[in-house]
Amino acid sequence: MLDSRLSRLDSRLMYDVAIVGGGPAGAAAAHRCARMGLTTLVLEKERLPRDKVCSGWVMGVGRLVIARVFGEIPGEVLTSPPSHQGYICHVPGVGSESVVCESRIAWRRDLDRWLLKKAQEQGAELWEGARLTEMEEGAPCLLRVAKEGVTEEVTARFVIGADGANSHVRKAIFPGLEVPLSQAYQEWFAVDVPLERRFGYLLLAPEIAPFYGAVHYKGEFLVLEIGARMGQVKEVTRWMKGALASEYRFPLETEAAGKGACVEPVLYSLLFSGSFRPARGNALLVGDSAGMPMPVTGEGIGTAMLSGLAAAVAIGRALEKNLKAEALYLQGIRGLLAALEGPYNMVRDIRRQADRGGIALLETTAASWRRTLDLSEAVLAAVDF
């Protein structure tokens, strides 16, 4: 039945690689696949540019890998200020510690569009407003895509799932997998409060640890970001605004100029135990789809891009050896997964130290951020891309 359907497909809908998701992971994979001469299609479910809940802090691994693969981020993609000198960890009523780390700052709508443009320059094809509705993993894979009110059937020898926490590719290849989730929430306000704009601020409290709130400026907007357990976003948001009001004179009556929310997968224990292997056959999961954000800092851009590049390398090697890509990809990300275990254990320590009070939480969080950022070069070296 599948073979008969494929035989009727127009040849222009057949690709070497289909990448579902147009974020940093998808853009990095598309850039590398297209450079290798593979016909590469990127499916982005939204029309660009589109807002995305993310700090936009390009730091650590992310800054290194973008510079290595794409070059320096152009000034027009960055915000004002264009960079941070570091981060201030602050426990209200207790004190602060600084973490030195230069990072770039961008709205994700601008950063992702630039990254995808660079992939297109290498020859990747981009479909905007194209939502994956169904997928059958095989040789080749069959994808049904809703685009401009029409369902297109696309075949691809390889599929890369870069479609985030609620990945349709992951659901297609692991339909029975139960994915634990946390929540992320963001609001931004056109207000002026006495925060040093060269720094990002992390607001900590024992009762919400190891989660925290972050606040920083992007142009005229003060951006508030909250990570929380499922169902606790409203409670944490109220606490954060109260802390900002008491510590930094944030006007509580101010209406938000914008807001957004998303979920994040919590798959570390499944990944480390090997009970979840983010690949099947020629379908490979990268970034949030595979549950690979950096623990402690929450950095997702760098690890997502590294996994996307590792997927592209695995596909190249699979074609050379006439093999499926699954085992090659899992081997390629082994060092990345090993590198995530140290910060993951730091998060567990932050949770334990929070029980001792605000001072222990502050000291442990600041030290964990420094140690995690210091690992950036080693994380980059752990992946062959």
Side-chain angles (χ1 to χ4, degrees):
M1 176 92 92
L2 179 59
D3 289 341
S4 65
R5 286 199 302 271
L6 295 181
S7 67
R8 296 195 299 270
L9 293 178
D10 191 298
S11 61
R12 67 185 175 87
L13 297 178
M14 300 180 72
Y15 295 86
D16 292 320
V17 184
I19 300 169
V20 184
H31 187 273
R32 180 54 54 84
C33 287
R35 280 192 64 186
M36 292 190 295
L38 304 178
T39 55
T40 303
L41 173 65
V42 180
L43 302 173
E44 168 52 54
K45 67 179 180 179
E46 304 289 346
R47 304 293 303 183
L48 300 176
R50 51 96 176 92
D51 284 312
K52 199 166 189 178
V53 176
C54 177
S55 69
W57 294 349
V58 184
M59 59 185 177
V61 178
R63 186 178 176 192
L64 292 174
V65 72
I66 286 178
R68 182 82 61 86
V69 176
F70 293 93
E72 290 297 330
I73 304 171
E76 61 268 21
V77 174
L78 301 174
T79 65
S80 176
S83 63
H84 283 145
Q85 294 181 3
Y87 302 95
I88 305 296
C89 300
H90 181 71
V91 177
V94 173
S96 301
E97 281 202 30
S98 61
V99 176
V100 177
C101 168
E102 186 174 359
S103 62
R104 300 290 183 254
I105 316 168
W107 291 103
R108 280 290 299 276
R109 60 174 179 260
D110 300 321
L111 179 65
D112 290 4
R113 183 166 56 173
W114 174 69
L115 292 171
L116 284 170
K117 182 179 178 182
K118 299 286 279 187
Q120 287 177 283
E121 289 171 357
Q122 296 296 321
E125 183 178 347
L126 171 65
W127 287 7
E128 297 181 42
R131 181 173 56 85
L132 178 68
T133 60
E134 189 177 354
M135 174 186 150
E136 297 177 26
E137 193 276 320
C141 300
L142 173 63
L143 297 86
R144 293 185 179 87
V145 182
K147 180 175 179 282
E148 299 176 350
V150 176
T151 296
E152 300 275 14
E153 283 191 320
V154 175
T155 64
R157 299 169 72 181
F158 303 89
V159 172
I160 297 176
D163 49 340
N166 284 318
S167 170
H168 288 285
V169 176
R170 188 183 63 229
K171 290 174 182 177
I173 61 176
F174 299 113
L177 180 67
E178 294 186 8
V179 179
L181 298 170
S182 63
Q183 291 183 288
Y185 180 68
Q186 185 180 74
E187 293 184 355
W188 51 97
F189 300 84
V191 296
D192 187 16
V193 301
L195 288 171
E196 173 54 67
R197 298 191 181 212
R198 297 173 300 165
F199 294 88
Y201 287 74
L202 311 177
L203 299 184
L204 315 171
E207 56 267 32
I208 64 173
F211 295 97
Y212 55 85
V215 59
H216 62 114
Y217 269 99
K218 288 183 175 179
E220 65 180 300
F221 294 112
L222 179 71
V223 182
L224 279 61
E225 291 152 355
I226 294 97
R229 296 175 180 86
M230 294 296 293
Q232 295 185 355
V233 162
K234 290 184 178 179
E235 175 188 345
V236 176
T237 301
R238 284 194 296 271
W239 170 82
M240 184 175 179
K241 289 180 178 178
L244 284 169
S246 63
E247 304 279 315
Y248 301 107
R249 302 199 298 275
F250 173 76
L252 289 172
E253 70 280 2
T254 306
E255 291 291 330
K259 60 182 65 175
C262 69
V263 294
E264 290 290 339
V266 186
L267 287 167
Y268 299 112
S269 60
L270 299 179
L271 283 167
F272 299 153
S273 69
S275 57
F276 169 55
R277 294 155 57 90
R280 174 166 290 173
N282 284 331
L284 315 176
L285 300 174
V286 300
D288 278 1
S289 302
M292 294 189 197
M294 179 68 75
V296 178
T297 62
E299 179 196 353
I301 292 173
T303 52
M305 295 182 78
L306 279 181
S307 59
L309 292 166
V313 169
I315 288 170
R317 290 175 178 166
L319 288 169
E320 290 174 2
K321 300 178 180 181
N322 195 29
L323 297 172
K324 290 189 175 182
E326 176 182 343
L328 294 166
Y329 175 60
L330 294 174
Q331 175 65 33
I333 61 170
R334 183 176 296 176
L336 175 58
L337 293 180
L340 297 180
E341 289 198 60
Y344 175 72
N345 289 328
M346 293 181 210
V347 171
R348 300 171 73 182
D349 189 42
I350 289 171
R351 186 185 297 116
R352 287 192 296 267
Q353 293 301 319
D355 293 337
R356 298 176 54 201
I359 293 177
L361 171 63
L362 176 61
E363 292 175 347
T364 305
T365 300
S368 297
W369 268 69
R370 295 186 191 105
R371 289 164 59 197
T372 299
L373 290 165
D374 285 344
L375 290 172
S376 297
E377 290 280 3
V379 174
L380 197 72
V383 179
D384 178 12
F385 63 93

